[in-house]
Amino acid sequence: MIIKKLLLKNFRNIDSINLDFHEKLNYFVGDNAQGKTNIIESIHYCSFLKSFRNKNNLDLIQNGFDSFFLELIVKNKLTEDNLKIYFNKRKERKIQLNHKRPNGNEFFDKLCSIIYYPDEINYLILYPQYRRNYIDRSLFLLDKNYINIIYKYKKILKNRNNLLKDQRYDKELDFVWLDSLINESIKIIVKRNNYIDSINKVLKKENTHNESYEINYKIYNFENLYDFLYEKITKNLDRDLKFGYTSFGPHSDDFIFKINTEDIRRYSSEGQKKSFILKLKKAQMCHYYNLNKDYPVLIIDDIANELDKRRKHDYLSDLIENSGQVFITTTEFDNDYDTDYSLFRVANGKVIY
């Protein structure tokens, strides 16, 4: 897929821009805090209707204005589509696909973007919730129904937790909620496990600077998953009643990222962590291509951060070679890759060709 055009109004510090993109490589160059990341953030927003930098969409509206508007022209293998998003301070969001209101997940099918940004290192070293969200977002790019499974699971989980907090706890009612919770848990666990297996198959082919990469997620007995989950959850019933919360299930899963069989949280430099994420991006793109015979859009924010010159060149060359359209933000323009490109200089929220 290729983004041909972006129209953006009143988004963060950007008044108005109208850009045509190169089908392969696009650079946004400028000093910090000028608007480079804001532009690529608007592109990624179309994939999830959510910012990768914060949860509050109101922060995306430029100061002094009541709304933002963005429009993309996206070319896929068979179609060329017009995507429009309007959002205002009353939290009203209007979405159009080819000038009509889209049905279901139809809007999300038109643009898949995979992004790297420096703060992603936190996903590897901080809380399990971050790593779960990281894997779940990656899965959503491939399986648009996955988010519906997650929402249903969370709703059932909330109902069971409310029952656990109730002084009139009813064991028979709990069995009903527990049965539904386990059935949705199985869907999530199987999808996560299959995805990790597929990603690891790609990662095992990657061995750069004498480093191997792997994600671990083997905590379940898959031979009889329903019974395994039932036993684990009911074993914790006394504790869960005490705290009013279901303590075991996919909502408490963790994923261990490894370099050379060692947990990346304990035995790696900042450069190695960034290298791992970049290799993971390549694995995600290759996996997506294997399923769809088309590459997603790749977005790289601040490529120079935490990587020495050799690693930067090696990893970026590899990514560009194994990707479709690429967007890169950087403070220092240095192109030595064998491909054509477009260069956009950004200053004070404006783009200079």
Side-chain angles (χ1 to χ4, degrees), residues 45 68 86 98 102 106 201 208 216 219 261 323 328 348 353:
Y45 184 86
F68 74 75
Y86 166 88
N98 298 325
E106 186 182 15
K201 288 178 182 178
T208 308
N216 279 5
I219 62 171
T261 73
S323 64
I328 298 173
N348 298 317
Y353 287 87

Side-chain angles (χ1 to χ4, degrees), residues 105-200:
N105 291 324
E106 186 182 15
F107 185 88
F108 297 107
D109 291 332
K110 300 304 179 181
L111 176 63
C112 174
S113 64
I114 292 178
I115 188 168
Y116 166 81
Y117 56 102
D119 287 347
E120 275 192 301
I121 289 176
N122 293 330
Y123 287 119
L124 305 185
I125 62 177
L126 293 179
Y127 306 112
Q129 178 184 353
Y130 291 170
R131 291 185 286 278
R132 284 195 302 274
N133 290 342
Y134 186 93
I135 297 299
D136 285 342
R137 285 200 311 273
S138 301
L139 256 168
F140 175 65
L141 292 174
L142 298 166
D143 183 354
K144 299 302 184 291
N145 188 51
Y146 182 69
I147 193 67
N148 297 324
I149 298 173
I150 292 290
Y151 283 152
K152 185 176 180 180
Y153 174 83
K154 288 183 176 180
K155 183 177 180 180
I156 297 170
L157 179 66
K158 181 179 179 181
N159 287 329
R160 182 175 192 256
N161 288 343
N162 288 336
L163 179 63
L164 293 172
K165 296 171 187 174
D166 196 329
Q167 293 182 348
R168 298 167 296 176
Y169 169 76
D170 186 323
K171 190 172 183 178
E172 292 185 3
L173 180 57
D174 187 20
F175 177 80
V176 176
W177 286 124
L178 188 55
D179 179 66
S180 298
L181 190 71
I182 291 174
N183 285 321
E184 294 307 311
S185 297
I186 290 172
K187 297 176 186 178
I188 295 170
I189 292 166
V190 169
K191 285 181 179 295
R192 285 176 176 174
N193 187 69
N194 291 343
Y195 178 70
I196 294 300
D197 282 348
S198 298
I199 291 298
N200 278 334

Side-chain angles (χ1 to χ4, degrees), residues 149 218 286 327:
I149 298 173
K218 297 291 184 182
C286 291
F327 296 88

Side-chain angles (χ1 to χ4, degrees), residues 232-246:
K232 284 285 188 179
I233 296 173
T234 54
K235 184 178 180 180
N236 293 336
L237 180 59
D238 290 341
R239 180 184 182 278
D240 291 351
L241 284 169
K242 179 180 178 181
F243 293 102
Y245 185 73
T246 307

Side-chain angles (χ1 to χ4, degrees), residues 11-23:
F11 189 92
R12 294 225 186 243
N13 74 329
I14 297 170
D15 293 324
S16 178
I17 58 173
N18 191 343
L19 304 178
D20 296 303
F21 295 128
H22 192 279
E23 64 180 16

Side-chain angles (χ1 to χ4, degrees), residues 243-287:
F243 293 102
Y245 185 73
T246 307
S247 56
F248 188 84
H251 61 282
S252 62
D253 281 351
D254 199 0
F255 302 84
I256 308 301
F257 298 80
K258 291 185 175 182
I259 296 179
N260 296 332
T261 73
E262 299 289 352
D263 190 333
I264 200 170
R265 292 173 294 179
R266 301 188 183 96
Y267 303 103
S268 60
S269 66
E270 293 303 299
Q272 286 178 310
K273 291 184 181 76
K274 181 163 186 174
S275 299
F276 183 97
I277 295 178
L278 290 171
K279 283 298 182 183
L280 182 55
K281 301 302 176 184
K282 179 186 174 183
Q284 290 174 307
M285 286 192 300
C286 291
H287 182 49

Side-chain angles (χ1 to χ4, degrees), residues 1-2 74-81 109-110 294:
M1 59 187 61
I2 297 170
V74 181
K75 182 180 179 181
N76 286 285
K77 289 184 295 184
L78 301 176
T79 64
E80 183 170 300
D81 298 290
D109 291 332
K110 300 304 179 181
D294 193 14

